[in-house]
Amino acid sequence: QVHLVESGGGLVQAGGSLRLSCAASGRPFRTYVMGWFRQAPGKERALAAAISGIGGSTYYADSVKGRFTISRDNAKNTLYLQMNSLKPEDTAVYYCAAKGGPSLGGRYDYWGQGTQVTVSS
């Protein structure tokens, strides 16, 4: 079992940056594959980025590749998502999620409450 709490969302102008954080507690953090999902109004929740337990493998959706960077600090039990060159279409609720490995895809078992990111044009 792992408990996840996101922070760092907010309102930013197009072209700006935000850094999301996800604090985890429970089982050893490094045993989990971690992901950032996002859900825009009227759309399904989708995986934006994912990272393996020790950070050696990452995945990015095409829509965020080159602009977003996922990282983790296993000593601090924290997951990050650095978001640069933000666009209005990045507006969504962003969720931190965890699953057993090694695959970065598939079903995620644990979810945070979500944090709102709004990008104004």
Side-chain angles (χ1 to χ4, degrees):
Q1 189 86 14
V2 62
H3 183 59
L4 304 171
V5 179
E6 302 97 334
S7 61
L11 174 65
V12 63
Q13 288 189 329
S17 298
L18 279 177
R19 188 194 199 199
L20 305 183
S21 298
C22 174
S25 59
R27 281 182 55 190
F29 182 60
R30 66 184 181 278
T31 66
Y32 291 100
V33 167
M34 300 296 298
W36 285 102
F37 287 74
R38 64 184 186 177
Q39 186 168 21
K43 295 187 177 181
E44 292 188 355
R45 189 162 55 186
L47 181 63
I51 188 167
S52 61
I54 57 172
S57 298
T58 56
Y59 161 84
Y60 295 96
D62 287 343
S63 57
V64 307
K65 203 171 292 183
R67 300 186 299 119
F68 290 11
T69 302
I70 189 171
S71 62
R72 64 192 298 162
D73 185 336
N74 287 344
K76 295 182 178 179
N77 289 354
T78 304
L79 175 74
Y80 303 101
L81 185 68
Q82 178 67 44
M83 304 185 294
N84 298 328
S85 302
L86 283 161
K87 305 174 181 180
E89 50 264 44
D90 294 317
T91 295
V93 178
Y94 284 71
Y95 297 91
C96 169
K99 65 186 292 286
S103 170
L104 302 186
R107 190 187 78 176
Y108 280 67
D109 298 310
Y110 305 102
W111 295 85
Q113 82 288 351
T115 186
Q116 176 70 46
V117 172
T118 303
V119 184
S120 63
S121 57

